[in-house]
């Protein structure tokens, strides 16, 4: 079985499901990236803010909440957890007012569209030009990036200024993915009858790329086994040929120019993996690299630019040159809590006891 849509806890047991390969990186990885990022900036106090379990806009939301909490609970203090129906925009103001009183570093756990409406409300409350930082976690969707890149509205972009976006290292920036999406849209449009449900190639789901790569990996694995005179119908043998960083063929946008992996060529054509290099670990999981993005000027426009890169194999995070260009609200990295505490508990004025003065007797 080659999974291409998402991660499910039901298939976590690699001993039971030993013929399962997941082309999508596990959910807990984004929690690791968040933790490493907080460590990098020296933040130890955060608030979690997002969708309640009854908001079914994203099937993995509940698991993402659990993953983030599990990653942070040892060394990070979670000052508040605010969960509500993020689809009801009338609730944003009250919930934001509360989180602002107990957290400066706020992690949004919700869909990209809900994150956008929350940030616009935060802008109205003056939270986007103050001491607050908002993390947006994007596991699969790329709507947040698309919204920002395509939206020239300065008031909307202002709402994104305090955002650090954690997302997969963006293969979407490369021509390979762009061409693929356009081709998918073109073919879907040819098959459609009256009434187009895809008005542009921007609406093509990123899952299409994972499906493409799942099929390609399966086909290349069969080809390799046939060349080695092995039985490709043996599912365990096929999967075991992929597991382990030294076994899985790496191919994609980042394949070396000399094409040392010659088995990836067929008819003189190099097969490209749309979502970047594939490297499956011993548990059958694909651990993809992440980046932390900041909204910055790039040429004549504004884009989310990577300022930190997370290596999923080494579990390390490293800065890019663009990290020096983050425009913090007060010109320096914000503190994760006020000097006197959120309720002035560290700077209370000592209370002087008043005692009656008794005149001495004559």
């Amino acid at each position: 079985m080659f999974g291409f849509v998402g991660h499910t806890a039901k298939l976590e047991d690699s001993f039971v499901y030993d013929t399962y390969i997941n082309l999508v990186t596990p959910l807990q990885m984004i929690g690791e990236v968040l933790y490493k990022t907080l460590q990098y900036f020296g933040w130890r106090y955060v608030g979690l803010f997002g969708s309640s379990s009854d908001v079914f806009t994203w099937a993995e939301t509940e698991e993402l909440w659990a993953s983030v909490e599990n990653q942070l609970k040892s060394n990070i203090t979670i000052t508040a957890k605010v969960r509500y129906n993020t689809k009801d925009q009338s609730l944003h103001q009250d919930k934001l007012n509360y989180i602002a009183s107990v957290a400066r570093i706020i992690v949004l756990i919700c869909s990209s569209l809900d994150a956008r409406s929350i940030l616009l409300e935060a802008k109205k409350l003056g939270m986007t030009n103050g001491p607050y930082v908002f993390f947006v976690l994007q596991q699969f969707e790329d709507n947040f990036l698309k919204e920002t890149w395509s939206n020239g509205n300065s008031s909307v972009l202002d709402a994104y200024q305090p955002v650090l976006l954690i997302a997969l290292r963006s293969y979407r920036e490369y021509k390979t993915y762009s061409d693929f999406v356009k081709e998918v849209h073109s073919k879907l449009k040819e098959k459609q009858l009256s009434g187009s449900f895809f008005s542009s190639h921007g609406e093509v789901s990123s899952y299409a790329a994972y499906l493409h790569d799942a099929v390609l990996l399966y086909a290349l694995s069969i080809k390799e086994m046939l060349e080695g005179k092995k039985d490709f119908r043996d599912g365990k043998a096929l999967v075991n040929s992929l597991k382990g960083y030294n076994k899985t063929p790496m191919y994609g946008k980042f394949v070396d120019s000399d094409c040392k992996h010659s088995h990836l060529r067929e008819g003189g054509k190099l097969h490209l993996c749309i979502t970047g290099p594939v490297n499956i670990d011993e548990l059958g999981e694909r651990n993809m690299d992440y980046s932390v993005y900041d909204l910055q000027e790039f040429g004549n426009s504004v884009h989310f630019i990577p300022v930190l890169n997370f290596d999923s194999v080494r579990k390390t995070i490293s800065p890019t040159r663009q990290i020096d260009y983050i425009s913090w609200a007060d010109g320096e990295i914000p503190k994760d809590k006020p000097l006197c505490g959120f309720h002035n508990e560290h700077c209370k004025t000592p209370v002087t006891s008043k005692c009656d003065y008794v005149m001495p007797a004559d």
Side-chain angles (χ1 to χ4, degrees):
M1 181 187 297
F2 284 68
F4 71 93
V5 173
H7 177 80
T8 172
K10 294 179 180 179
L11 296 176
E12 280 183 351
D13 193 333
S14 60
F15 294 101
V16 175
Y17 302 102
D18 56 356
T19 58
Y20 174 63
I21 292 288
N22 191 6
L23 267 290
V24 178
T25 192
L27 272 174
Q28 64 264 26
M29 187 67 70
I30 201 167
E32 290 184 40
V33 183
L34 173 63
Y35 174 66
K36 290 286 187 179
T37 304
L38 294 171
Q39 275 192 321
Y40 182 87
F41 288 113
W43 293 324
R44 295 186 297 114
Y45 299 89
V46 302
L48 305 184
F49 190 96
S51 300
S52 54
S53 57
D54 58 340
V55 180
F56 296 105
T57 55
W58 185 18
E60 288 85 5
T61 300
E62 196 66 26
E63 291 180 37
L64 183 58
W65 268 95
S67 171
V68 169
E69 290 184 53
N70 288 335
Q71 289 291 330
L72 302 187
K73 65 182 180 182
S74 298
N75 298 301
I76 302 295
T77 300
I78 298 174
T79 59
K81 291 185 288 185
V82 179
R83 303 191 65 177
Y84 67 104
N85 182 0
T86 49
K87 289 297 178 187
D88 187 349
Q89 297 185 19
S90 66
L91 299 176
H92 289 342
Q93 183 176 11
D94 182 57
K95 302 299 183 181
L96 282 168
N97 278 328
Y98 170 70
I99 199 71
S101 70
V102 294
R104 290 279 185 84
I105 312 302
I106 302 167
V107 181
L108 300 184
I109 306 177
C110 55
S111 72
S112 58
L113 293 178
D114 289 349
R116 182 177 184 272
S117 65
I118 290 168
L119 289 166
L120 288 172
E121 186 62 38
K123 179 178 181 294
K124 293 178 184 177
L125 296 175
M127 295 176 65
T128 57
N129 56 5
Y132 300 97
V133 174
F134 291 87
F135 276 95
V136 172
L137 310 181
Q138 183 172 283
Q139 175 73 351
F140 308 117
E141 307 168 276
D142 61 348
N143 288 338
F144 199 86
L145 286 166
K146 287 178 183 175
E147 280 282 340
T148 310
W149 286 349
S150 62
N151 203 317
N153 190 325
S154 60
S155 64
V156 174
L157 293 177
D158 286 344
Y160 294 157
Q161 286 299 328
V163 168
L164 289 176
L165 171 67
I166 296 180
L168 291 170
R169 191 170 299 180
S170 191
Y171 55 83
R172 299 173 181 86
E173 295 177 16
Y174 298 100
K175 191 172 186 294
T176 305
Y177 179 78
S178 176
D179 288 346
F180 171 77
V181 168
K182 289 176 182 177
E183 186 177 355
V184 170
H185 177 254
S186 176
K187 289 184 177 180
L188 286 173
K189 199 171 181 180
E190 290 174 5
K191 301 294 182 182
Q192 287 173 201
L193 300 175
S194 59
S196 172
F197 53 86
F198 281 128
S199 59
S200 71
H201 65 266
E203 295 180 34
V204 175
S205 171
S206 57
Y207 292 133
Y210 287 100
L211 174 59
H212 169 279
D213 291 348
V215 174
L216 179 58
L217 182 61
Y218 178 57
L220 289 172
S221 300
I222 291 177
K223 182 175 182 292
E224 187 172 349
M225 292 190 76
L226 287 173
E227 290 175 350
K229 301 187 184 303
K230 298 178 182 177
D231 184 5
F232 69 87
R233 292 169 296 185
D234 184 342
K236 288 185 179 181
L238 187 149
V239 169
N240 286 334
S241 71
L242 296 173
K243 288 183 178 180
Y245 287 116
N246 295 324
K247 297 181 181 179
T248 311
M250 293 186 66
Y251 59 99
K253 182 64 186 178
F254 307 98
V255 71
D256 52 86
S257 57
D258 295 331
C259 194
K260 295 176 183 177
H261 306 292
S262 58
H263 62 286
L264 297 179
R265 281 194 179 276
E266 183 176 353
K269 181 179 180 181
L270 178 64
H271 292 280
L272 289 177
C273 174
I274 304 301
T275 59
V278 174
N279 218 329
I280 308 298
D281 66 17
E282 296 290 351
L283 299 177
E285 296 283 2
R286 178 187 183 184
N287 292 333
M288 300 173 71
D289 294 338
Y290 280 82
S291 290
V292 181
Y293 296 84
D294 174 58
L295 192 64
Q296 298 183 7
E297 290 186 6
F298 185 78
N300 297 322
S301 57
V302 178
H303 294 277
F304 271 108
I305 305 294
V307 294
L308 291 170
N309 288 327
F310 178 80
D311 186 313
S312 63
V313 177
R314 297 178 178 85
K315 309 297 183 186
T316 57
I317 200 162
S318 57
T320 72
R321 288 181 296 177
Q322 301 306 119
I323 199 159
D324 294 330
Y325 299 100
I326 298 178
S327 56
W328 303 114
D330 296 320
E332 58 183 18
I333 298 175
K335 304 294 183 184
D336 54 3
K337 66 176 182 177
L339 182 63
C340 289
F342 289 103
H343 304 290
N344 206 41
E345 63 270 22
H346 302 310
C347 301
K348 287 182 178 178
T349 304
V351 178
T352 304
S353 60
K354 295 182 179 180
C355 300
D356 291 332
Y357 180 73
V358 180
M359 292 291 291
D362 292 333

